[in-house]
Amino acid sequence: MGRTFVISDIHGEITAFNQLLTEINYEPGTDQLILLGDYVDRGEDSNAVLDKVMELRELGAIVLKGNHEDMMIKALTSEEERLWRHWVDRNGGSETLRSYGFREEEYTVSPDLPFERPQLSSEALEKHLEFICSLDIYKEQNDFIFVHAGVHPETPIHETEERDFLWIRDPFHNGYCGEKKVVFGHTPTKYLYKEDTNHSIFFGDNNIIGIDGGAVYGGQLNCLELPGLHPHSVKIKPESSSE
């Protein structure tokens, strides 16, 4: 095995994703690609990103689930209005549904009527939901832990709840002190740096490495190359970002 590349939080930005794979000269079968989740929501084409991610897993990539995939699954398979609105109205689910060709009137629910989950039929969507349900939550190697959001600093990894792997922030950022380096996404690095214009990979003093460059917010799509901890990135043009 040659190089290892780690990418997270693509959020539908298919153009930047393809550009980044080209720039790092990723070679399936020789290099190892690890994707840390959040392929969907807010960006230009979540449908295309998931197609690409499925293709990459067939070629040997390790593909993990993010909290946005978790929200998507729950919204589209439960009958709870809270879960539907949390995804569609507040976390970019509407952009994802549009990428499958659904119109706004097909997925909008009226606040004045009893909730009924919209029945959305799409072969591509069903294929992607099945794929998402098959994804692992974390990957542990000799010197690294790869995960979407982080690990709980006080809980053994094999006892950690799935929600922590997908959603944790401050307790992990401030409290982790393990021997293995944890590579994660989820939290845009500008918040870790506390600098609104710094989207670079964050190397914490406590063995945490944050790689979410806030691509979908006009930042950059980052890639960490191992074992040398070498950063790569693609800047996002402002017009392709989504607030």
Side-chain angles (χ1 to χ4, degrees):
M1 185 62 66
R3 304 165 297 174
T4 294
F5 296 110
V6 193
I7 301 172
S8 189
D9 294 83
I10 302 162
H11 282 299
E13 295 285 354
I14 185 61
T15 302
F17 188 33
N18 284 329
Q19 183 182 346
L20 184 56
L21 291 173
T22 298
E23 291 198 6
I24 63 177
N25 193 28
Y26 168 60
E27 298 182 7
T30 301
D31 302 323
Q32 178 65 69
L33 180 65
I34 304 177
L35 304 175
L36 303 185
D38 278 13
Y39 313 108
V40 302
D41 297 344
R42 297 195 174 105
E44 63 190 57
D45 201 339
S46 295
N47 183 358
V49 169
L50 281 174
D51 269 345
K52 183 69 175 182
V53 170
M54 288 183 68
E55 173 191 329
L56 290 167
R57 190 170 76 165
E58 287 293 319
L59 295 172
I62 294 169
V63 180
L64 305 181
K65 184 168 75 171
N67 65 305
H68 278 261
E69 285 76 52
D70 191 57
M71 283 189 284
M72 181 179 179
I73 284 288
K74 288 177 178 175
L76 290 169
T77 59
S78 79
E79 301 302 326
E80 290 190 43
E81 181 176 8
R82 173 184 61 85
L83 296 175
W84 180 266
R85 293 196 179 281
H86 183 62
W87 181 56
V88 174
D89 297 344
R90 295 191 289 277
N91 284 286
S94 57
E95 287 90 342
T96 295
L97 292 174
R98 284 200 293 272
S99 77
Y100 290 96
F102 296 116
R103 302 184 305 275
E104 185 174 356
E105 57 267 27
E106 294 181 277
Y107 58 77
T108 299
V109 295
S110 172
D112 302 320
L113 298 174
F115 176 73
E116 291 186 13
R117 176 167 56 84
Q119 300 304 303
L120 304 173
S121 178
S122 163
E123 183 177 339
L125 181 58
E126 292 303 316
K127 175 183 68 175
H128 289 158
L129 292 179
E130 182 178 356
F131 172 70
I132 290 169
C133 287
S134 74
L135 299 181
D136 290 329
I137 303 299
Y138 71 92
K139 177 69 174 179
E140 189 171 9
Q141 295 183 345
N142 291 337
D143 301 317
F144 292 92
I145 298 170
F146 303 97
V147 65
H148 178 65
V151 299
H152 198 288
E154 299 176 357
T155 306
I157 193 166
H158 62 277
E159 297 178 7
T160 299
E161 295 184 3
E162 180 174 304
R163 180 173 178 81
D164 282 333
F165 291 130
L166 299 178
W167 289 92
I168 197 168
R169 294 192 196 272
D170 289 349
F172 162 64
H173 301 157
N174 300 322
Y176 181 75
C177 57
E179 293 183 1
K180 293 188 177 184
K181 290 182 171 61
V182 180
V183 185
F184 66 101
H186 186 55
T187 300
T189 57
K190 69 176 184 178
Y191 297 118
L192 300 171
Y193 281 113
K194 297 179 174 58
E195 299 174 16
D196 283 347
T197 58
N198 193 344
H199 307 288
S200 302
I201 291 175
F202 176 83
F203 296 92
D205 294 334
N206 57 335
N207 266 352
I208 68 172
I209 304 176
I211 67 171
D212 177 6
V216 80
Y217 299 110
Q220 63 192 43
L221 187 61
N222 289 324
C223 173
L224 177 68
E225 180 183 338
L226 303 174
L229 301 181
H230 183 68
H232 304 270
S233 65
V234 168
K235 301 286 187 181
I236 306 297
K237 295 180 181 179
E239 61 266 27
S240 69
S241 67
S242 176
E243 293 299 330

